[in-house]
Amino acid sequence: MNTEVQRFTPASVDIHARKITFASAVDKERYWMAGSKLFTTGFNFASMLFPEGETFFIKSVQNFQSQIVDPKLRDDINGFIAQEITHAQEHEKYNEDAYDNGFYKLRGMEKILRSILVGSHRWVPKKFQLSFTVTAEHFTAIGANIGLQFPDLIMGAVDPKYREIWLWHAVEETEHKGVAFDVLKAVSGNYWLRIMPLAIILLLALVSSVIAAVILPPLALINKIRGKGIFSKPKGRPLPKSIKREIVLARNMFLKDLFSFFKPSFHPWDCDNSSFVEDWKSNYAATGKSALTQEA
Ligand SMILES: [Fe+2]
Ligand SMILES: [Fe+2]
Protein backbone atom coordinates (compact mmCIF):
# COMPACT_ATOMS: atom_id res chain seq x y z
CA MET A 1 0.00 0.00 0.00
CA ASN A 2 1.32 3.44 -0.92
CA THR A 3 1.23 5.39 2.30
CA GLU A 4 3.60 8.10 1.08
CA VAL A 5 1.97 10.90 -0.83
CA GLN A 6 3.12 14.14 -2.33
CA ARG A 7 1.63 17.04 -0.40
CA PHE A 8 0.17 19.76 -2.60
CA THR A 9 -1.10 22.05 0.16
CA PRO A 10 1.03 25.21 -0.16
CA ALA A 11 3.82 25.40 2.42
CA SER A 12 2.42 28.73 3.65
CA VAL A 13 -0.83 27.06 4.72
CA ASP A 14 -0.57 25.83 8.29
CA ILE A 15 -3.63 23.77 9.21
CA HIS A 16 -4.51 24.32 12.85
CA ALA A 17 -7.65 24.98 14.87
CA ARG A 18 -8.24 28.50 16.15
CA LYS A 19 -9.69 28.83 19.59
CA ILE A 20 -12.74 30.76 18.57
CA THR A 21 -16.07 31.14 20.28
CA PHE A 22 -18.81 33.00 18.48
CA ALA A 23 -21.40 35.01 20.31
CA SER A 24 -25.08 34.27 19.82
CA ALA A 25 -26.87 36.22 17.11
CA VAL A 26 -27.33 39.78 18.30
CA ASP A 27 -30.69 40.89 16.97
CA LYS A 28 -32.26 37.51 16.22
CA GLU A 29 -33.54 38.65 12.81
CA ARG A 30 -35.10 35.52 11.42
CA TYR A 31 -34.14 36.11 7.78
CA TRP A 32 -30.65 37.34 8.56
CA MET A 33 -29.29 36.92 5.01
CA ALA A 34 -30.22 40.28 3.47
CA GLY A 35 -33.82 39.66 4.61
CA SER A 36 -34.22 36.76 2.16
CA LYS A 37 -36.10 33.71 3.40
CA LEU A 38 -34.75 31.54 0.60
CA PHE A 39 -31.08 32.35 1.16
CA THR A 40 -31.27 32.37 4.93
CA THR A 41 -32.86 28.92 4.75
CA GLY A 42 -30.07 27.79 2.39
CA PHE A 43 -27.34 28.89 4.79
CA ASN A 44 -29.14 27.50 7.83
CA PHE A 45 -29.73 24.20 6.03
CA ALA A 46 -25.99 23.96 5.28
CA SER A 47 -25.23 24.72 8.92
CA MET A 48 -27.63 21.96 10.00
CA LEU A 49 -25.52 19.47 8.02
CA PHE A 50 -22.21 20.37 9.66
CA PRO A 51 -22.19 18.94 13.23
CA GLU A 52 -23.12 15.42 12.12
CA GLY A 53 -21.48 15.66 8.70
CA GLU A 54 -18.13 16.85 9.99
CA THR A 55 -18.12 14.22 12.74
CA PHE A 56 -18.53 11.63 9.97
CA PHE A 57 -15.68 13.21 7.95
CA ILE A 58 -13.37 13.02 10.96
CA LYS A 59 -14.15 9.34 11.58
CA SER A 60 -13.69 8.44 7.92
CA VAL A 61 -10.18 9.95 7.94
CA GLN A 62 -9.32 8.49 11.36
CA ASN A 63 -10.04 5.02 9.95
CA PHE A 64 -6.81 5.35 7.93
CA GLN A 65 -4.77 7.66 10.14
CA SER A 66 -2.46 4.90 11.40
CA GLN A 67 -1.55 3.90 7.83
CA ILE A 68 -0.14 7.31 6.95
CA VAL A 69 3.61 7.58 7.41
CA ASP A 70 4.30 10.94 5.76
CA PRO A 71 5.00 13.28 8.72
CA LYS A 72 3.55 16.39 7.05
CA LEU A 73 0.35 14.61 6.07
CA ARG A 74 0.09 13.24 9.62
CA ASP A 75 0.32 16.84 10.92
CA ASP A 76 -2.29 17.93 8.38
CA ILE A 77 -4.65 15.17 9.51
CA ASN A 78 -4.35 16.38 13.11
CA GLY A 79 -5.05 19.95 11.96
CA PHE A 80 -8.01 18.80 9.86
CA ILE A 81 -9.54 16.89 12.79
CA ALA A 82 -9.02 19.80 15.20
CA GLN A 83 -10.59 22.28 12.77
CA GLU A 84 -13.61 20.08 12.02
CA ILE A 85 -14.21 19.50 15.75
CA THR A 86 -14.37 23.28 16.30
CA HIS A 87 -16.65 23.72 13.27
CA ALA A 88 -19.04 21.06 14.55
CA GLN A 89 -19.11 22.68 18.01
CA GLU A 90 -19.70 26.22 16.75
CA HIS A 91 -22.36 25.14 14.22
CA GLU A 92 -24.13 23.20 16.94
CA LYS A 93 -24.58 26.49 18.83
CA TYR A 94 -25.48 28.31 15.61
CA ASN A 95 -28.12 25.65 14.89
CA GLU A 96 -29.71 25.92 18.33
CA ASP A 97 -30.05 29.66 17.65
CA ALA A 98 -31.58 29.00 14.23
CA TYR A 99 -33.97 26.31 15.52
CA ASP A 100 -35.17 28.65 18.28
CA ASN A 101 -35.56 31.41 15.71
CA GLY A 102 -38.19 29.72 13.56
CA PHE A 103 -36.15 27.10 11.71
CA TYR A 104 -37.36 24.29 14.02
CA LYS A 105 -38.02 21.87 11.12
CA LEU A 106 -34.27 21.62 10.58
CA ARG A 107 -33.96 19.94 13.99
CA GLY A 108 -35.94 16.92 12.72
CA MET A 109 -33.80 16.79 9.56
CA GLU A 110 -30.66 16.77 11.68
CA LYS A 111 -31.93 13.73 13.58
CA ILE A 112 -32.59 11.86 10.32
CA LEU A 113 -29.13 12.81 9.04
CA ARG A 114 -27.57 11.52 12.28
CA SER A 115 -29.26 8.09 11.84
CA ILE A 116 -28.13 7.86 8.21
CA LEU A 117 -24.52 8.78 9.00
CA VAL A 118 -24.26 6.55 12.07
CA GLY A 119 -25.59 3.64 9.97
CA SER A 120 -23.22 4.49 7.10
CA HIS A 121 -20.25 4.61 9.45
CA ARG A 122 -21.15 1.12 10.61
CA TRP A 123 -22.11 -0.60 7.36
CA VAL A 124 -20.49 1.18 4.41
CA PRO A 125 -16.96 0.06 3.36
CA LYS A 126 -14.37 2.35 4.96
CA LYS A 127 -12.72 3.37 1.71
CA PHE A 128 -16.08 4.42 0.30
CA GLN A 129 -16.73 6.48 3.45
CA LEU A 130 -13.40 8.23 2.88
CA SER A 131 -14.22 8.75 -0.79
CA PHE A 132 -17.57 10.27 0.21
CA THR A 133 -15.73 12.62 2.59
CA VAL A 134 -13.41 13.67 -0.25
CA THR A 135 -16.48 14.51 -2.35
CA ALA A 136 -18.12 16.41 0.51
CA GLU A 137 -14.88 18.33 1.10
CA HIS A 138 -14.88 19.18 -2.62
CA PHE A 139 -18.31 20.76 -2.15
CA THR A 140 -17.23 22.68 0.96
CA ALA A 141 -14.03 23.83 -0.78
CA ILE A 142 -16.02 25.16 -3.75
CA GLY A 143 -18.52 26.85 -1.42
CA ALA A 144 -15.68 28.37 0.59
CA ASN A 145 -13.93 29.65 -2.53
CA ILE A 146 -17.17 31.24 -3.72
CA GLY A 147 -17.79 32.84 -0.31
CA LEU A 148 -14.27 34.27 -0.21
CA GLN A 149 -14.28 35.40 -3.85
CA PHE A 150 -17.74 37.00 -3.66
CA PRO A 151 -17.87 38.21 -0.07
CA ASP A 152 -21.15 40.09 -0.65
CA LEU A 153 -22.80 36.69 -0.52
CA ILE A 154 -21.72 36.48 3.11
CA MET A 155 -21.44 40.15 4.00
CA GLY A 156 -25.10 40.61 3.06
CA ALA A 157 -25.76 39.12 6.49
CA VAL A 158 -27.35 41.68 8.74
CA ASP A 159 -25.84 40.22 11.89
CA PRO A 160 -22.02 40.22 12.32
CA LYS A 161 -22.18 36.80 13.98
CA TYR A 162 -23.21 35.19 10.71
CA ARG A 163 -20.63 37.05 8.63
CA GLU A 164 -17.88 36.02 10.99
CA ILE A 165 -18.79 32.38 11.41
CA TRP A 166 -19.22 31.77 7.68
CA LEU A 167 -15.99 33.58 6.73
CA TRP A 168 -14.03 31.70 9.41
CA HIS A 169 -15.46 28.37 8.27
CA ALA A 170 -14.72 29.20 4.61
CA VAL A 171 -11.09 30.02 5.47
CA GLU A 172 -10.50 26.81 7.41
CA GLU A 173 -12.26 24.68 4.78
CA THR A 174 -9.83 26.20 2.28
CA GLU A 175 -6.84 25.49 4.49
CA HIS A 176 -7.64 21.78 4.87
CA LYS A 177 -9.28 21.11 1.49
CA GLY A 178 -6.51 18.75 0.35
CA VAL A 179 -6.21 16.59 3.48
CA ALA A 180 -8.92 13.93 2.99
CA PHE A 181 -7.98 13.84 -0.70
CA ASP A 182 -4.31 13.18 0.10
CA VAL A 183 -5.26 10.44 2.58
CA LEU A 184 -7.43 8.71 -0.03
CA LYS A 185 -4.62 9.03 -2.57
CA ALA A 186 -2.24 7.43 -0.09
CA VAL A 187 -4.45 4.46 0.72
CA SER A 188 -6.03 3.97 -2.73
CA GLY A 189 -5.07 5.55 -6.01
CA ASN A 190 -8.25 4.15 -7.58
CA TYR A 191 -9.80 6.85 -9.79
CA TRP A 192 -13.22 5.15 -9.95
CA LEU A 193 -13.45 4.91 -6.17
CA ARG A 194 -12.70 8.65 -5.92
CA ILE A 195 -15.31 9.77 -8.43
CA MET A 196 -18.05 7.26 -7.54
CA PRO A 197 -19.82 9.30 -4.80
CA LEU A 198 -19.98 12.44 -6.97
CA ALA A 199 -21.19 10.40 -9.95
CA ILE A 200 -23.96 8.91 -7.76
CA ILE A 201 -24.95 12.35 -6.40
CA LEU A 202 -25.14 13.81 -9.93
CA LEU A 203 -27.14 10.82 -11.17
CA LEU A 204 -29.64 11.21 -8.31
CA ALA A 205 -29.88 14.95 -9.07
CA LEU A 206 -30.56 14.15 -12.74
CA VAL A 207 -33.24 11.56 -11.93
CA SER A 208 -34.91 13.99 -9.46
CA SER A 209 -34.91 16.73 -12.12
CA VAL A 210 -36.50 14.42 -14.70
CA ILE A 211 -39.20 13.35 -12.20
CA ALA A 212 -39.83 17.01 -11.30
CA ALA A 213 -40.05 17.91 -15.00
CA VAL A 214 -42.73 15.24 -15.46
CA ILE A 215 -44.72 15.92 -12.28
CA LEU A 216 -44.63 19.71 -11.95
CA PRO A 217 -46.30 20.89 -15.23
CA PRO A 218 -49.60 18.98 -14.67
CA LEU A 219 -49.52 20.02 -11.00
CA ALA A 220 -49.08 23.65 -12.07
CA LEU A 221 -52.01 23.31 -14.48
CA ILE A 222 -54.29 21.85 -11.78
CA ASN A 223 -53.30 24.61 -9.36
CA LYS A 224 -53.86 27.25 -12.06
CA ILE A 225 -57.37 25.93 -12.63
CA ARG A 226 -57.95 26.11 -8.86
CA GLY A 227 -56.53 29.65 -8.87
CA LYS A 228 -53.42 28.82 -6.85
CA GLY A 229 -49.69 29.07 -7.59
CA ILE A 230 -47.61 25.91 -7.54
CA PHE A 231 -45.27 27.27 -4.90
CA SER A 232 -46.13 29.84 -2.27
CA LYS A 233 -44.18 33.06 -2.80
CA PRO A 234 -41.01 33.14 -0.70
CA LYS A 235 -41.41 35.47 2.25
CA GLY A 236 -38.93 38.12 3.19
CA ARG A 237 -37.33 40.92 1.17
CA PRO A 238 -36.03 40.47 -2.41
CA LEU A 239 -32.25 40.24 -2.63
CA PRO A 240 -30.29 43.39 -3.57
CA LYS A 241 -29.10 43.56 -7.21
CA SER A 242 -25.42 43.36 -6.22
CA ILE A 243 -26.01 40.00 -4.52
CA LYS A 244 -28.12 38.68 -7.40
CA ARG A 245 -25.26 39.53 -9.81
CA GLU A 246 -22.77 37.65 -7.67
CA ILE A 247 -25.07 34.63 -7.46
CA VAL A 248 -24.98 34.26 -11.28
CA LEU A 249 -21.15 34.44 -11.31
CA ALA A 250 -20.97 32.07 -8.35
CA ARG A 251 -23.25 29.54 -10.05
CA ASN A 252 -21.02 29.46 -13.15
CA MET A 253 -17.93 29.04 -11.00
CA PHE A 254 -19.63 26.29 -8.98
CA LEU A 255 -20.44 24.21 -12.06
CA LYS A 256 -16.96 24.59 -13.56
CA ASP A 257 -15.21 23.67 -10.30
CA LEU A 258 -17.60 20.82 -9.56
CA PHE A 259 -16.88 19.00 -12.81
CA SER A 260 -13.11 19.56 -12.59
CA PHE A 261 -13.23 16.76 -9.99
CA PHE A 262 -13.57 14.20 -12.80
CA LYS A 263 -10.14 15.04 -14.28
CA PRO A 264 -7.87 12.07 -13.48
CA SER A 265 -5.08 14.48 -12.47
CA PHE A 266 -7.38 16.60 -10.24
CA HIS A 267 -6.14 17.87 -6.88
CA PRO A 268 -8.04 20.36 -4.64
CA TRP A 269 -5.01 22.69 -4.69
CA ASP A 270 -5.07 22.94 -8.51
CA CYS A 271 -6.96 26.06 -7.55
CA ASP A 272 -4.49 27.87 -5.27
CA ASN A 273 -6.68 30.35 -3.41
CA SER A 274 -4.45 30.56 -0.34
CA SER A 275 -4.27 34.35 -0.80
CA PHE A 276 -7.85 34.53 0.53
CA VAL A 277 -6.64 32.90 3.74
CA GLU A 278 -3.89 35.52 4.07
CA ASP A 279 -6.38 38.34 3.34
CA TRP A 280 -8.75 37.04 6.00
CA LYS A 281 -5.97 36.78 8.57
CA SER A 282 -4.93 40.38 8.00
CA ASN A 283 -8.43 41.83 7.58
CA TYR A 284 -10.23 40.09 10.40
CA ALA A 285 -8.18 38.03 12.77
CA ALA A 286 -5.41 40.59 13.10
CA THR A 287 -7.66 43.58 13.76
CA GLY A 288 -8.75 42.35 17.16
CA LYS A 289 -12.10 44.03 16.51
CA SER A 290 -14.24 41.04 15.83
CA ALA A 291 -15.23 37.76 17.39
CA LEU A 292 -12.50 36.24 15.27
CA THR A 293 -9.82 37.43 17.65
CA GLN A 294 -7.77 34.40 18.49
CA GLU A 295 -7.09 33.46 22.04
CA ALA A 296 -3.45 32.85 22.85
FE1 LIG B 1 -15.73 22.31 8.47
FE1 LIG C 1 -13.88 20.33 5.95
Side-chain angles (χ1 to χ4, degrees), residues 53 56-58 60-61 64 80 84 126-142 173 176-188 190-191 193-198 201 258 261 266-268:
F56 178 89
F57 302 163
I58 291 168
S60 71
V61 168
F64 296 96
F80 164 83
E84 296 291 38
K126 288 186 169 56
K127 280 189 183 168
F128 190 80
Q129 292 183 38
L130 180 60
S131 179
F132 177 79
T133 293
V134 170
T135 302
E137 286 285 294
H138 182 52
F139 276 100
T140 54
I142 295 173
E173 285 303 318
H176 72 230
K177 67 179 174 175
V179 178
F181 186 96
D182 287 344
V183 173
L184 181 65
K185 198 98 183 155
V187 298
S188 167
N190 189 317
Y191 168 77
L193 173 68
R194 170 168 76 75
I195 65 156
M196 202 190 305
L198 183 58
I201 290 167
L258 184 68
F261 193 76
F266 170 83
H267 188 279

Side-chain angles (χ1 to χ4, degrees), residues 50 54 83-84 87 169 173 176:
F50 287 132
E54 294 185 314
Q83 286 188 338
E84 296 291 38
H87 299 174
H169 200 159
E173 285 303 318
H176 72 230

